Amino acid sequence: MQLDARAAPRAGVGLRLPHLLEVAAAAPRVGWLEIHPENFLANPHAREVLLDIASRSALSVHTVGISVGSADGVDREHLSRVVALVDELDPIFVSGHLAWSTHRGRFLNDLLPIPYDDEVLRVVAAHVDEVQDALGRPYLIENPASYVGFDGATMTEAEFLSELVERTGCRLLCDVSNVYLSAVNMGYDPYDYIGALPPAAVAELHLGGYTPEAQDDRLGGEVLIDSHAKPIAEPVWALYAQALRRFGARPTLIEWDADLPAFERLTQEAAIADEIAAAVSSEGYSRAAAR
Ligand SMILES: [Fe+2]
């Protein structure tokens, strides 16, 4: 697929407010930065600093408040505020989750799951069309972190996302950590999931740390929580290598939101992602040379 020329397939990091002034003062040694627009919509000073950063660094806009999975529609007021910021920043990507977080005007501070069936697909596709029309560019849809499923589901999540791409022309943001922890929580093979996504539609990858938590006595065992509060775990790095083999080199983001360490620590995780991408790319060269 055609990527924005500024979207080099290097690793970037999430830019959170505690690091904003540090990043504005010195160019970060990472490929790009991703922001949550919701942090800047009601904060004119932070927005001004961000615009300055955007003039020097490639940025991606990752929304957490555009709720394409809500049955009662996208919050148009919020969408128009995000579009105004996107127009100012001219980011390499605009993305959001396959989830819902608003209902009847109430904002729920969570990304909640949707059932994967034809009816929900029709509703979500209409909302993605609306978002893309407002943005005037493709919207990237991210696979969620899953903890529960729905009995009536008629398709897998990967099938649902593939069909959403077909119907709307949207692109996919494959969160490799979400694939791993959802697969562990829900009991499927994360490598099968990566194998079922349409490679040409995957424009960006995410990597974030998770936290294992014990389930209550009735359920037993443990559940992996998408905490974004830890380094990337070893099984996720291994799955990331497989994602690169299947999708090709893609801009990859290190997400760290809670227990935020020094910015330098984030750049170390980004450097590991770049090392893995280089190793996977050289596997391809060795295979081609051996032919
Ligand atoms: Fe993510």
Side-chain angles (χ1 to χ4, degrees):
M1 68 174 291
Q2 277 300 88
L3 288 174
D4 185 310
R6 298 166 297 165
R10 282 187 58 199
V13 304
L15 174 58
R16 304 298 173 244
L17 290 177
H19 295 145
L20 190 66
L21 294 178
E22 179 186 345
V23 169
R29 291 195 303 276
V30 289
W32 52 291
L33 300 162
E34 185 166 278
I35 60 114
H36 293 167
E38 288 77 7
N39 289 336
F40 298 90
L41 294 178
N43 188 338
H45 175 62
R47 188 174 181 137
E48 206 175 296
V49 175
L50 181 64
L51 281 170
D52 179 47
I53 293 171
S55 68
R56 290 172 278 124
S57 298
L59 282 189
S60 159
V61 169
H62 185 56
T63 71
V64 291
I66 294 180
S67 184
V68 294
S70 284
D72 56 355
V74 170
D75 177 344
R76 292 191 179 144
E77 216 177 288
H78 182 67
L79 176 59
S80 71
R81 287 198 296 264
V82 170
V83 169
L85 182 63
V86 165
D87 288 345
E88 286 183 335
L89 295 174
D90 186 25
I92 52 176
F93 300 125
V94 184
S95 58
H97 294 90
L98 179 64
W100 62 278
S101 56
T102 57
H103 184 61
R104 296 191 175 159
R106 290 189 60 202
F107 184 80
L108 308 162
N109 200 18
D110 251 317
L111 296 165
L112 298 160
I114 55 173
Y116 299 130
D117 62 29
D118 283 328
E119 173 62 15
V120 174
L121 180 60
R122 192 182 56 72
V123 171
V124 173
H127 295 162
V128 170
D129 282 340
E130 186 180 343
V131 172
Q132 296 190 128
D133 286 349
L135 287 168
R137 58 157 76 204
Y139 190 49
L140 276 55
I141 297 289
E142 175 175 359
N143 55 299
S146 299
Y147 309 98
V148 292
F150 289 86
D151 276 346
T154 57
M155 56 186 102
T156 65
E157 187 174 286
E159 287 167 345
F160 188 96
L161 286 168
S162 303
E163 190 56 34
L164 192 61
V165 167
E166 284 294 313
R167 291 193 191 188
T168 66
C170 73
R171 296 285 183 264
L172 299 178
L173 192 181
C174 176
D175 187 315
V176 176
S177 300
N178 286 356
V179 171
Y180 179 76
L181 72 87
S182 297
V184 170
N185 292 342
M186 307 294 290
Y188 55 79
D189 184 336
Y191 288 81
D192 287 349
Y193 185 107
I194 295 289
L197 289 180
V202 177
E204 183 192 336
L205 304 175
H206 268 183
L207 296 166
Y210 58 74
T211 305
E213 273 188 14
Q215 303 224 66
D216 64 25
D217 291 345
R218 197 168 43 85
L219 294 168
E222 63 177 20
V223 63
L224 302 184
I225 306 291
D226 183 30
S227 61
H228 295 182
K230 301 256 182 216
I232 314 306
E234 275 312 317
V236 173
W237 285 127
L239 188 63
Y240 173 56
Q242 181 59 21
L244 294 173
R245 287 183 198 106
R246 169 141 172 92
F247 305 141
R250 291 289 187 272
T252 298
L253 185 88
I254 303 299
E255 290 189 294
W256 202 320
D257 294 286
D259 297 335
L260 197 63
F263 190 77
E264 186 69 23
R265 179 72 189 84
L266 305 187
T267 66
Q268 289 165 3
E269 293 291 289
I272 298 171
D274 281 337
E275 273 169 33
I276 291 172
V280 168
S281 163
S282 65
E283 282 172 15
Y285 289 130
S286 335
R287 269 200 306 275
R291 274 189 208 124

